[in-house]
Amino acid sequence: MSKHNKHKLLLAPTAVLLTAVMAAAPANAALNGIDVASHQTDTVTCAVQNYDFAIVKATEGTTYRNPKMAAQLTCARNRGKKIGLYHYASGLDATREADYFVASIGGWRGQALLALDFEMGSNAIYYSASAGAWIRTFVTRVHSVTGVWPVIYVPESGVWKIPSDVRANCGIWPAAYANMYPTGFQSSPWHGGKFGEAMRQYSPEGTLAGYAGRLDLDLFYGDAGAWDAYARGGRGATATVKPATKPSAPAPAAPTIRPVLAVDGYIGRATVSQWQRVMGTPVDGVISGQYNMWYRPRLMAVTHRNHRGSALVRAIQRKYGLRQTGLLDRTTIRCIQRDVGADPDGILGPDTARRIQIRLNTGRF
């Protein structure tokens, strides 16, 4: 029997169960939720007033465990919220990462939806031709041990990396942001349902009552029964589930953006100030807290003290799903270059700088 057919047979009992659960659900069921990690407080899921689910980072690679995982999950569960756990891929040995994830979730197995976070930052395999095979190995290993097919989080631009046989078993969770303005929950997010996804992340700038920080906002295309079916084991045929018609909290008015940059290929104070306005970060015209690196020859407005990183760079890294170090490293520069159509060589040279300025003169980034 081929490996693909074997997977189909393993899936069948749980898929039938999930179909039965979803058939009884209201046609317009959907859940609003957040995903959190250790950079949020251990009480974040207690503090946020209104949400339906919380997905908590559990592990990364084969050495990191979120020290706040148990507290964040317990807060959500004790309030009757649906819970999930995700593993952040480092792109090392897929089987070892899967085993580390499964071993780390302990007694939460069967209660929490499981997910793989496969994105660019700190992921050695993301841009490799082997990315799809890595994903397949990871999710197959998790399923062989737990009976659960993980949902796969991926930037929208990377959905194509997920092989079709994996898509047949695993729900997907694409991320794409219309802008970086603060927002509440949205019932019809930008690009929602574009890929027949199980869930969508649509903003890293969520502002929800009860919590002072910004949050990732997500919409799950299913009801509580469908969520439980994912957690117990099953893939979730999302075609029968439509987004709920829940009201969206109105987003604040967009700030006034001044398209006044000279396209001169130098990232000076004017360009950085415009970039900061567009991204909604404090405006001082300087990318601060950086290391002095050779690969940013056209970055003129920069400071090299403290090395704590820049709020602007963290906002850019959130947009691309990168680790939010605040440091303008070559991975971040390559993501910017792909976005603006420059050669992704990781060097902030004149062509990249000009393309950034052209984009910023449209009032968006």
Side-chain angles (χ1 to χ4, degrees):
M1 181 185 296
S2 74
K3 185 179 291 185
H4 183 56
N5 288 336
K6 183 179 179 183
H7 291 167
K8 286 184 177 179
L9 290 174
L10 287 170
L11 172 66
T14 49
V16 170
L17 170 64
L18 181 57
T19 301
V21 169
M22 294 173 65
N28 288 331
L31 303 176
N32 290 315
I34 56 178
D35 58 276
V36 300
S38 61
H39 62 270
Q40 276 109 5
T41 65
D42 55 358
T43 58
V44 57
T45 51
C46 284
V48 178
Q49 289 186 12
N50 296 307
Y51 65 97
D52 299 318
F53 66 86
I55 306 179
V56 176
K57 181 175 182 177
T59 51
E60 180 172 342
T62 58
T63 58
Y64 174 82
R65 288 186 178 91
N66 174 9
K68 301 176 183 177
M69 176 183 74
Q72 292 169 337
L73 287 169
T74 300
C75 266
R77 185 191 59 184
N78 288 350
R79 296 176 64 193
K81 311 299 184 182
K82 295 302 176 184
I83 56 174
L85 284 163
Y86 73 87
H87 173 80
Y88 191 104
S90 290
L92 304 176
D93 183 272
T95 300
R96 288 184 59 209
E97 289 200 35
D99 288 346
Y100 184 70
F101 175 51
V102 171
S104 299
I105 63 179
W108 298 103
R109 187 192 301 185
Q111 301 181 56
L113 175 148
L114 304 183
L116 167 65
D117 183 342
F118 193 83
E119 52 186 285
M120 303 90 154
S122 304
N123 184 345
I125 203 75
Y126 186 86
Y127 291 112
S128 166
S130 301
W134 195 100
I135 293 170
R136 180 187 294 110
T137 299
F138 181 94
V139 300
T140 302
R141 180 65 171 182
V142 171
H143 179 264
S144 70
V145 177
T146 68
V148 173
W149 291 108
V151 174
I152 302 169
Y153 173 97
V154 67
E156 187 172 282
S157 60
V159 167
W160 64 271
K161 295 177 181 291
I162 305 173
S164 58
D165 60 301
V166 174
R167 285 286 305 270
N169 291 326
C170 298
I172 63 169
W173 177 13
Y177 313 141
N179 55 56
M180 298 296 287
Y181 302 139
T183 182
F185 285 129
Q186 299 177 14
S187 58
S188 299
W190 185 61
H191 285 192
K194 179 178 179 180
F195 300 101
E197 61 263 28
M199 185 159 42
R200 174 162 288 270
Q201 184 187 98
Y202 54 87
S203 177
E205 298 291 331
T207 54
L208 300 178
Y211 188 72
R214 298 295 171 84
L215 294 159
D216 293 342
L217 300 185
D218 306 280
L219 185 68
F220 175 74
Y221 295 107
D223 65 356
W227 184 281
D228 290 343
Y230 275 98
R232 290 193 304 270
R235 65 184 177 90
T238 58
T240 61
V241 182
K242 304 298 181 184
T245 54
K246 293 185 178 181
S248 232
T256 300
I257 306 299
R258 298 178 296 162
V260 294
L261 297 178
V263 182
D264 59 6
Y266 290 92
I267 306 296
R269 293 186 70 91
T271 299
V272 173
S273 294
Q274 177 78 339
W275 212 344
Q276 289 168 329
R277 292 187 192 98
V278 169
M279 300 301 288
T281 63
V283 179
D284 61 7
V286 177
I287 295 179
S288 58
Q290 303 298 300
Y291 289 94
N292 193 353
M293 296 295 186
W294 64 270
Y295 49 78
R296 300 189 298 252
R298 291 301 179 105
L299 177 58
M300 321 311 296
V302 59
T303 65
H304 302 114
R305 297 184 300 274
N306 301 325
H307 311 309
R308 295 176 182 171
S310 160
L312 170 61
V313 176
R314 276 189 283 273
I316 293 167
Q317 289 168 330
R318 280 197 299 272
K319 172 182 177 179
Y320 298 126
L322 302 176
R323 185 191 294 249
Q324 295 163 42
T325 63
L327 300 174
L328 190 57
D329 55 18
R330 296 192 75 184
T331 297
T332 305
I333 292 170
R334 287 190 182 98
C335 288
I336 293 170
Q337 289 171 321
R338 290 185 177 91
D339 194 1
V340 301
D343 179 23
D345 59 5
I347 300 172
L348 207 172
D351 179 63
T352 299
R354 283 191 293 269
R355 289 173 183 269
I356 290 169
Q357 290 169 324
I358 290 168
R359 173 70 65 83
L360 291 172
N361 272 336
T362 69
R364 64 184 183 87
F365 187 79

